[in-house]
Amino acid sequence: AQSVTQLGSHVSVSEGALVLLRCNYSSSVPPYLFWYVQYPNQGLQLLLKYTTGATLVKGINGFEAEFKKSETSFHLTKPSAHMSDAAEYFCAVIYSSASKIIFGSGTRLSIRP
Amino acid sequence: DGGITQSPKYLFRKEGQNVTLSCEQNLNHDAMYWYRQDPGQGLRLIYYSQIVNDFQKGDIAEGYSVSREKKESFPLTVTSAQKNPTAFYLCASSVPKGPQHFGDGTRLSIL
């Protein structure tokens, strides 16, 4: 079945450290890929998206993600974490054979002072 | 600015009562969606509509109903048949194969 997997329901990093949030999809055909951020009591906000073209995608707030077809991955990174990055992050996928978006289960990012 | 407006932000339901959550968008998107989010949980799809006057059940439609009479509007009714309605409800819209745009959510609680 088509799916999207986020490894780690909770990730904690120190302020200034690298942020790495993992996302893997399940199809050999490249899908459309998205990362969203959700702050408490708010809706989801689109961070970045990959449809076609350049495999390294830059988003808002200094985040970027790299589409790796050989690894079926779309991991989210940020070189230096800020306290304001503490939030829930969702990876999402639209497979070419489907019309619906599939969301991962989310990763809660905590930032240690 | 274009966007999605959900109202109210907080809503309380009494036992046996139906309540309706509003969702309006001015993005000219054909597709609209309703999700339920429980504490520490991901998103679960309740209903979605890809065109006016048509909608489909999602993964957890029991106890909920929707209508899509206008492109801009997709209200969700939480009926008395939904025995555990306390949750955060999110509305979204999109173009085909495009990212979903979300409202700020409605938090529903039981009195």
Side-chain angles (χ1 to χ4, degrees):
Chain A
Q2 294 174 335
S3 64
V4 56
T5 303
Q6 291 185 242
L7 292 175
S9 59
H10 181 210
V11 170
S12 180
V13 303
S14 297
E15 191 174 17
L18 171 72
V19 174
L20 171 61
L21 304 182
R22 300 177 186 274
C23 174
N24 287 87
Y25 61 92
S26 62
S27 171
S28 60
V29 177
Y32 296 158
L33 295 153
F34 312 92
W35 275 101
Y36 288 85
V37 61
Q38 184 182 30
Y39 298 102
N41 294 312
Q42 294 185 24
L44 278 68
Q45 180 183 4
L46 183 66
L47 273 177
L48 49 80
K49 64 180 179 181
Y50 170 80
T51 52
T52 59
T55 57
L56 182 62
V57 181
K58 294 187 184 299
I60 62 172
N61 302 340
F63 284 93
E64 61 183 34
E66 186 171 10
F67 168 64
K68 292 188 176 181
K69 183 178 178 181
S70 60
E71 299 177 6
T72 62
S73 69
F74 190 57
H75 301 332
L76 182 71
T77 60
K78 182 173 181 177
S80 177
H82 295 164
M83 296 300 293
S84 61
D85 294 327
E88 188 90 16
Y89 292 81
F90 292 93
C91 180
V93 175
I94 298 177
Y95 291 101
S96 57
S97 60
S99 59
K100 284 194 302 180
I101 194 168
I102 302 173
F103 285 92
S105 55
T107 298
R108 181 164 61 92
L109 176 64
S110 299
I111 311 297
R112 302 187 299 271
Chain B
D1 282 342
I4 297 183
T5 302
Q6 288 189 243
S7 62
K9 191 164 181 65
Y10 299 95
L11 187 59
F12 298 91
R13 195 192 90 168
K14 296 179 180 179
E15 292 290 336
Q17 184 182 46
N18 294 351
V19 292
T20 297
L21 285 61
S22 171
C23 178
E24 303 279 331
Q25 56 103 355
N26 60 5
L27 299 167
N28 201 33
H29 289 169
D30 285 317
M32 296 187 73
Y33 312 82
W34 274 106
Y35 294 91
R36 170 178 172 142
Q37 189 175 33
D38 293 283
Q41 302 293 313
L43 302 173
R44 291 189 289 171
L45 183 63
I46 305 172
Y47 270 97
Y48 64 102
S49 167
Q50 294 180 310
I51 197 169
V52 175
N53 291 323
D54 188 41
F55 48 83
Q56 288 79 40
K57 293 181 179 180
D59 302 318
I60 56 165
E62 185 174 352
Y64 300 97
S65 66
V66 293
S67 63
R68 187 83 188 279
E69 298 177 0
K70 298 187 301 181
K71 187 174 186 178
E72 302 80 15
S73 179
F74 192 42
L76 173 74
T77 296
V78 184
T79 75
S80 57
Q82 173 50 246
K83 297 306 180 187
N84 185 22
T86 298
F88 190 51
Y89 291 87
L90 287 164
C91 180
S93 70
S94 75
V95 297
K97 301 289 189 181
Q100 294 188 357
H101 297 256
F102 285 81
D104 285 336
T106 292
R107 187 166 298 282
L108 176 61
S109 303
I110 298 299
L111 284 178

